[in-house]
């Protein structure tokens, strides 16, 4: 063994100096003076609220995206010792000395810096030259808008980083020799990156689907390769499915598992969730429901919460006020006691479950549980009126039946107060009605109508509370038909006054009750898709078509007393180069396709495959990150375009190399072929110089320093639609 070991031990490594150079420049442009300004910048006021909630382990819902992005920002805050005690109430608010601003912004800046070398490497994996890779890296390096978005506590740079990493890792796997098992490390990394892409923002889903399309095309070609054995084809297909489909799905679930496990305290978004979900959180509803009886029995005192959270969560309610004899439109009512849905905790929300065959309103010993299919009566705890419905039109929804607290006026309107319990999420036909866990429909025995929250506010005579009706023509799976027992006690008082006192006092019986992770996961997914925050027009909102020509900007920060300011403005020259490249590729692709259809192959098959792959990744990437915004009905901003823009910067140098290497190939036999190539190189250098000079020109608006005069700021307003602010002195 000693003979085989020769000294000295020598390690030989190849270092791409261009890659090192652009990486160092990327870190310098993104991380230098990261703590400036020491104030809340634009959407930091939005993401900062979630970071504070993470620090305090308080549950929240963000309908704009999954939790991984928030977890990354929160991790950066944790590294800096942030405790969450900062009020994110306005843009421009100064950070106190106790808040480590550099740490808050560190991880987005790192991701933004790493995007530059990733674009370099990705261009090489697309089989273009190091010169094209350098050009793509320089375009990203000197893009002012990407620098601005990377230097603050925002998520676009994180999303772009994982997208580029996913494509680079996959292409690295695809280009590696098939005999190398180490290439599957790259495939696993691509799958992990895809899981992170979808975990940061849902817009990343479109890039993930694009990668699946590219991988599917490669796999289809692999299946048709007859030089590979059937067994080997099956093994490789299974590996691709596991790494690119199963791994991202498992990771997506894992992000929510961490999210829900960590955020275990009651917070501002609890009311959007079901009673069972709320009861699983520390504080809030769990303090009220802790120790409640699990099984609803005859004589139970309960509050019934509507399972639908729109327009707002509410509880079945009644009070000592009757419906008006006639409504404003002239229709008549039963003039019986009003039954509504009330969006606040109140003693008038309590109802008693009564056995129709017995008079007592207390729980037996042992308790007799109510089961699916049982017929019950509901007695209002404070007024002793029975929940009733009949063939009288509801006040605001005349196509449905009125629901009332029955009063016997000695008229031909008998009581119809029997309700059948239908547990919609039951696991067995003899399922017991459970507190919080069971979702119940109350079916009116006489008319087969179902108790339903219409959600329509009543007029002043109904105190603007929400209308409750009985509906025959209902949708089978509508959540407005379902009710959940939220608060529950076993009634012990038969007399009315004693019962009223009992309803005002809490009761506790030790019962351990938990909701599974999968139930919480499914409910949270549904709420994120259906519960939308109110959209309002913003001063700096814009339409997708305005992004292409950069007719808009966003003022991110303005100094309180000077002209120092930061704007999200792109590099106009780079922006124009990207647009021209997109148009040129499409025109060239059409020409190639038409000529190939006529049997004329202008480029070898290998070059054609390279050209097609470039279009799938770059043009396809631009399309999937731009077109969906044209269909969205939400407030949009310029920064939504940045992922699509990165694909254009990847396309531009590669397309230039293709033109230089192949389109000018036909001119080699001409007298001025060398002149054409030199002209193309000189033009490319002139464009790069223009991009650098434009970057330097807009640096004061990118970094917020140095401060410019009002006259200098006016000179930077290259478009009349830009909103650049300045103070005259």
């Amino acid at each position: 063994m000693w003979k085989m070991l020769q000294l000295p031990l020598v390690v030989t490594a190849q270092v791409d100096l261009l890659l090192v150079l652009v990486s160092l420049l990327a870190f310098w442009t993104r991380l230098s003076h990261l703590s400036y300004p020491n104030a809340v910048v634009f959407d930091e006021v939005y993401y900062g609220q979630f970071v504070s909630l993470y620090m305090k382990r308080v549950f929240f819902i963000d309908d704009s995206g999954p939790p991984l992005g928030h977890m990354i920002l929160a991790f950066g805050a944790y590294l800096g010792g942030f405790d969450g005690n900062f009020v994110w109430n306005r843009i421009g608010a100064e950070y106190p000395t106790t808040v480590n601003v550099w740490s808050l912004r560190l991880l987005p800046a790192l991701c933004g810096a790493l995007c530059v070398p990733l674009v370099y490497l990705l261009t090489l994996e697309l089989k273009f030259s190091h010169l094209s890779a350098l050009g793509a890296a320089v375009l990203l390096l000197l893009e002012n808008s990407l620098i601005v978005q990377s230097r603050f506590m925002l998520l676009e740079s994180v999303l772009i980083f994982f997208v580029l990493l996913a494509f680079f890792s996959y292409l690295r796997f695809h280009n590696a020799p098939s005999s190398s098992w180490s290439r599957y490390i790259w495939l696993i990394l691509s799958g992990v990156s895809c899981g992170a892409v979808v975990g940061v923002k849902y817009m990343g889903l479109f890039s993930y689907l694009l990668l699946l399309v590219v991988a599917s095309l490669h796999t289809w070609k692999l299946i048709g390769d007859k030089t590979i054995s059937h067994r080997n084809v099956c093994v490789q297909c299974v590996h691709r499915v596991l790494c690119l489909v199963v791994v991202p799905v498992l990771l997506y679930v894992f992000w929510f598992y961490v999210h829900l496990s960590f955020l275990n305290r009651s917070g501002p978004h609890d009311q959007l969730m079901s009673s069972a979900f709320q009861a699983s959180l520390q504080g809030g509803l769990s303090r009220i429901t802790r120790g409640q009886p699990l099984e609803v029995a005859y004589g139970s005192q309960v509050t019934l919460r509507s399972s639908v959270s729109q327009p707002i969560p509410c509880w079945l309610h009644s009070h000592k006020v009757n419906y008006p004899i006639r409504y404003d439109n002239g229709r008549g009512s039963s003039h019986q006691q009003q039954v509504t849905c009330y969006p606040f905790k109140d003693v008038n929300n309590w109802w008693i479950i009564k056995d129709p065959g017995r008079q007592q309103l207390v729980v037996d010993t042992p308790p007799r549980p109510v089961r699916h299919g049982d017929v019950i009566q509901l007695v209002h705890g404070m007024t002793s009126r029975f929940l009733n419905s009949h063939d009288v039109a509801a006040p605001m929804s005349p196509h449905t039946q009125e629901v009332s607290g029955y009063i016997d006026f000695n008229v031909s309107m008998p009581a119809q107060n029997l309700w059948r319990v239908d547990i919609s999420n039951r696991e067995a036909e003899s399922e017991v009605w459970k507190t919080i866990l069971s979702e119940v429909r109350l079916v009116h025995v006489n008319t087969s109508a179902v108790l339903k929250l219409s959600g329509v506010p009543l007029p002043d005579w109904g105190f603007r509370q929400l209308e409750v009706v009985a509906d025959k023509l209902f949708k089978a799976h509508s959540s407005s038909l379902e009710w959940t027992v939220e608060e529950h006690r076993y009634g012990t008082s038969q007399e009315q006054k004693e019962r009223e006192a009992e309803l005002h006092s809490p009761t506790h019986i030790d019962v351990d009750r938990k909701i599974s992770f999968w139930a919480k996961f499914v409910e949270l997914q549904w709420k994120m898709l259906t519960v939308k925050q109110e959209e309002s027009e913003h001063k700096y909102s814009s339409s997708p078509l305005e992004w292409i020509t950069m007719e808009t900007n966003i003022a991110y920060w303005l100094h309180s007393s000077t002209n120092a300011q930061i704007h999200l403005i792109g590099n106009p020259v780079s922006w124009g180069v990207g647009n021209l490249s997109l148009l040129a590729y499409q025109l060239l692709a059409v020409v190639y396709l038409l000529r190939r259809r006529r049997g004329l192959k202008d480029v070898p098959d290998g070059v054609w495959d390279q050209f097609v792959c470039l279009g799938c990744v770059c043009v396809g990437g631009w399309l999937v990150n731009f077109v969906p915004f044209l269909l969205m009905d939400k407030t949009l901003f310029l920064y939504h375009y940045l992922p699509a823009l990165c694909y254009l910067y990847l396309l531009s140098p590669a397309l230039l190399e293709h033109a230089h290497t192949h389109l000018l190939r036909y001119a080699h036999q001409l007298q001025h072929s060398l002149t054409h190539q030199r002209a193309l190189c000189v033009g490319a250098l002139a464009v790069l110089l223009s991009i650098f000079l434009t970057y330097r020109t807009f640096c004061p608006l990118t970094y917020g320093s140095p401060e410019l005069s009002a006259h200098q700021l006016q000179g930077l307003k290259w478009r009349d639609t830009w909103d650049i602010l300045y103070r005259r002195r």
Side-chain angles (χ1 to χ4, degrees):
M1 179 178 177
W2 291 104
K3 292 181 178 180
M4 295 174 62
L5 182 63
Q6 297 181 359
L7 297 177
L9 297 176
V10 178
V11 176
T12 303
Q14 289 183 331
V15 178
D16 189 335
L17 294 181
L18 287 178
L19 177 61
V20 173
L21 176 62
V22 295
S23 300
L24 291 176
L25 290 174
F27 282 104
W28 179 72
T29 56
R30 270 68 175 175
L31 271 72
S32 61
H33 301 96
L34 194 59
S35 298
Y36 180 83
N38 189 45
V40 178
V41 174
F42 201 63
D43 268 357
E44 284 187 338
V45 75
Y46 176 76
Y47 291 110
Q49 299 176 46
F50 299 127
V51 169
S52 288
L53 292 174
Y54 254 108
M55 294 298 102
K56 298 178 180 180
R57 305 191 66 174
V58 172
F59 173 76
F60 66 86
I61 296 178
D62 178 18
D63 62 356
S64 67
L68 179 60
H70 298 306
M71 288 193 282
I72 291 173
L73 297 181
F75 181 66
Y78 170 79
L79 294 177
F82 182 57
D83 58 6
N85 292 320
F86 178 74
V87 180
W88 309 83
N89 56 0
R90 65 181 180 88
I91 299 172
E94 292 287 327
Y95 287 113
T97 55
T98 55
V99 176
N100 188 333
V101 182
W102 186 85
S103 176
L104 289 177
R105 297 169 177 170
L106 174 62
L107 295 183
L110 284 175
C111 289
L114 290 172
C115 287
V116 175
L118 268 178
V119 161
Y120 182 96
L121 294 171
L122 181 53
T123 304
L124 295 180
E125 293 304 323
L126 288 169
K127 300 181 180 179
F128 289 90
S129 67
H130 284 79
L131 196 59
S132 292
L134 177 62
V138 168
L139 286 175
L140 249 73
L141 177 70
L142 302 180
E143 174 49 50
N144 300 72
S145 60
L146 291 174
I147 295 174
V148 171
Q149 201 69 14
S150 300
R151 289 175 54 82
F152 301 110
M153 192 174 57
L154 308 170
L155 289 180
E156 272 64 35
S157 62
V158 181
L159 173 64
I160 294 170
F161 166 74
F162 283 120
V163 168
L164 294 175
L165 181 60
F167 274 97
F168 163 69
S169 303
Y170 172 74
L171 290 176
R172 189 67 175 265
F173 157 79
H174 176 70
N175 294 332
S178 58
S179 59
S180 173
W181 279 95
S182 61
R183 71 185 188 130
Y184 286 101
I185 296 176
W186 292 108
L187 186 62
I188 294 172
L189 179 59
S190 180
V192 171
S193 301
C194 289
V197 165
V198 182
V200 171
K201 279 197 168 188
Y202 281 131
M203 273 305 300
L205 176 65
F206 297 105
S207 291
Y208 170 53
L209 294 176
L210 174 66
L211 188 144
L212 287 182
V213 169
V214 173
S216 298
L217 293 175
H218 289 159
T219 305
W220 185 252
K221 186 175 181 179
L222 173 73
I223 293 173
D225 189 348
K226 296 182 179 179
T227 63
I228 304 176
S229 66
H230 297 323
R231 179 179 175 275
N232 196 8
V233 168
C234 291
V235 169
Q236 293 203 42
C237 289
V238 169
H239 287 163
R240 285 165 169 78
V241 171
L242 288 176
C243 293
L244 297 181
V245 178
V246 177
V247 168
V249 170
L250 292 178
L251 280 176
Y252 179 78
V253 175
F254 177 71
W255 307 140
F256 279 94
Y257 179 80
V258 175
H259 178 75
L260 292 172
S261 300
F262 191 77
L263 303 185
N264 59 358
R265 296 176 181 170
S266 175
H269 296 164
D270 289 11
Q271 65 174 4
L272 299 175
M273 311 306 293
S274 68
S275 300
F277 195 110
Q278 293 183 53
S280 69
L281 302 173
Q282 298 178 13
L285 181 63
S286 65
R287 291 181 298 178
I288 300 173
T289 60
R290 186 183 299 116
Q292 291 186 154
L294 175 61
E295 295 184 348
V296 177
Y298 291 104
S300 286
Q301 299 169 355
V302 300
T303 62
L304 291 165
R305 183 184 189 266
S306 173
S307 295
V308 67
S309 58
Q310 295 292 333
I312 51 178
C314 63
W315 292 263
L316 190 66
H317 176 94
S318 188
H319 41 240
K320 289 184 178 180
V321 179
N322 296 353
Y323 289 111
I325 297 176
R326 290 200 175 275
Y327 302 123
D328 293 340
N329 59 9
R331 289 191 299 110
S333 77
S334 66
H335 195 48
Q336 294 184 4
Q337 185 167 297
Q338 295 178 14
V339 172
T340 64
C341 206
Y342 189 51
F344 301 99
K345 300 286 187 180
D346 188 88
V347 71
N348 281 314
N349 296 345
W350 285 94
W351 298 81
I352 302 169
I353 309 296
K354 180 182 176 298
D355 184 346
R358 305 176 65 179
Q359 293 300 317
Q360 66 182 44
L361 297 176
V362 295
V363 175
D364 293 337
T365 304
R368 290 189 302 125
V370 180
R371 300 180 182 276
H372 169 75
D374 286 356
V375 175
I376 64 170
Q377 292 173 314
L378 284 167
V379 181
H380 188 240
M382 298 301 292
T383 64
S384 298
R385 300 296 183 190
F386 286 76
L387 186 69
N388 188 80
S389 185
H390 38 220
D391 191 16
V392 176
M396 308 305 295
S397 305
H399 59 284
T400 59
Q401 292 177 186
E402 177 190 85
V403 174
S404 64
Y406 182 73
I407 303 175
D408 188 0
F409 288 120
N410 293 319
V411 295
S412 57
M413 192 174 287
Q416 299 182 37
N417 52 29
L418 298 179
W419 301 85
R420 186 175 67 256
V421 176
D422 182 356
I423 303 176
S424 58
N425 62 341
R426 65 186 181 278
E427 297 179 358
E429 288 303 312
S430 59
E431 180 86 16
V432 174
W433 189 357
K434 295 183 179 68
T435 305
I436 290 179
L437 303 178
S438 296
E439 295 178 353
V440 171
R441 296 179 185 177
L442 296 172
V443 183
H444 192 232
V445 173
N446 296 79
T447 63
S448 298
V450 179
L451 189 71
K452 174 183 176 181
L453 169 65
S454 75
V456 180
L458 295 171
D460 291 339
W461 54 257
F463 309 102
R464 297 291 172 183
Q465 296 175 18
L466 302 181
E467 181 190 44
V468 173
V469 301
D471 192 0
K472 295 180 181 179
L473 304 174
F474 56 86
K475 294 181 180 179
H477 301 287
S478 174
S479 59
S480 61
L481 303 170
E482 295 170 349
W483 302 83
T484 303
V485 170
E486 188 171 270
E487 297 178 63
H488 178 209
R489 75 183 86 228
Y490 282 161
T492 59
S493 302
Q494 182 68 29
E495 298 298 325
Q496 177 65 23
K497 289 187 177 180
E498 295 176 0
R499 189 163 59 247
E500 290 179 9
E502 185 179 11
L503 292 174
H504 281 93
S505 62
T507 183
H508 294 286
I509 301 174
D510 292 332
V511 176
D512 185 21
R513 177 165 61 256
K514 293 183 179 179
I515 180 175
S516 69
F517 160 72
W518 289 109
K520 295 172 72 173
F521 173 76
V522 171
E523 180 178 346
L524 185 55
Q525 297 302 300
W526 177 249
K527 294 297 181 183
M528 292 175 67
L529 292 173
T530 58
V531 177
K532 296 298 180 183
Q533 299 177 1
E534 292 185 7
E535 298 286 345
S536 58
E537 192 66 25
H538 193 281
K539 178 180 179 181
Y540 291 108
S541 63
S542 54
S543 68
L545 294 179
E546 292 177 313
W547 304 340
I548 297 177
T549 54
M550 204 169 60
E551 294 184 15
T552 182
N553 71 306
I554 304 176
Y556 268 18
W557 172 78
L558 175 66
H559 194 278
S560 58
S561 58
T562 71
N563 276 327
Q565 54 194 280
I566 294 175
H567 287 256
L568 185 71
I569 294 180
N571 188 315
V573 179
S574 302
W575 219 278
V577 168
N579 291 335
L580 288 175
S581 300
L582 178 65
L583 180 62
Y585 182 92
Q586 295 177 50
L587 292 175
L588 188 57
V590 170
V591 172
Y592 275 161
L593 287 171
L594 291 175
R595 288 177 63 81
R596 289 177 76 86
R597 185 64 177 168
R598 297 294 299 169
L600 302 173
K601 293 187 177 182
D602 299 307
V603 293
D605 289 340
V607 175
W608 170 249
D609 291 341
Q610 180 193 41
F611 182 80
V612 171
C613 184
L614 178 67
C616 288
V617 174
C618 298
V619 179
W622 181 85
L623 287 172
V624 300
N625 282 278
F626 176 74
V627 173
F629 288 113
L630 296 172
L631 309 176
M632 290 184 184
D633 183 20
K634 61 178 291 185
T635 304
L636 300 173
F637 297 92
L638 180 62
Y639 57 73
H640 287 121
Y641 185 62
L642 297 184
L645 183 67
C646 290
Y647 287 101
L648 297 187
Y649 289 169
L650 189 63
L651 172 67
S652 301
L655 186 62
L656 183 65
E657 178 184 334
H658 179 85
H660 179 272
T661 306
H662 302 290
L663 292 186
L664 297 181
R665 175 171 61 89
Y666 298 106
H668 287 176
Q669 299 175 354
L670 300 179
Q671 184 177 0
H672 302 291
S673 60
L674 187 60
T675 304
H676 292 161
Q677 291 179 326
R678 287 178 177 175
L680 188 62
C681 293
V682 170
L685 289 175
V687 169
L688 285 176
L689 180 61
S690 300
I691 289 172
F692 174 75
L693 293 176
T694 306
Y695 157 76
R696 290 290 302 166
T697 300
F698 284 96
C699 270
L701 298 183
T702 301
Y703 296 96
S705 65
E707 178 194 353
L708 301 180
S709 66
H711 178 71
Q712 289 173 315
L713 288 171
Q714 283 181 317
L716 292 180
K717 192 173 181 179
W718 287 15
R719 299 190 71 102
D720 293 336
T721 53
W722 289 358
D723 185 17
I724 296 180
L725 312 172
Y726 53 87
R727 294 182 174 89
R728 296 185 183 274
R729 297 182 179 178

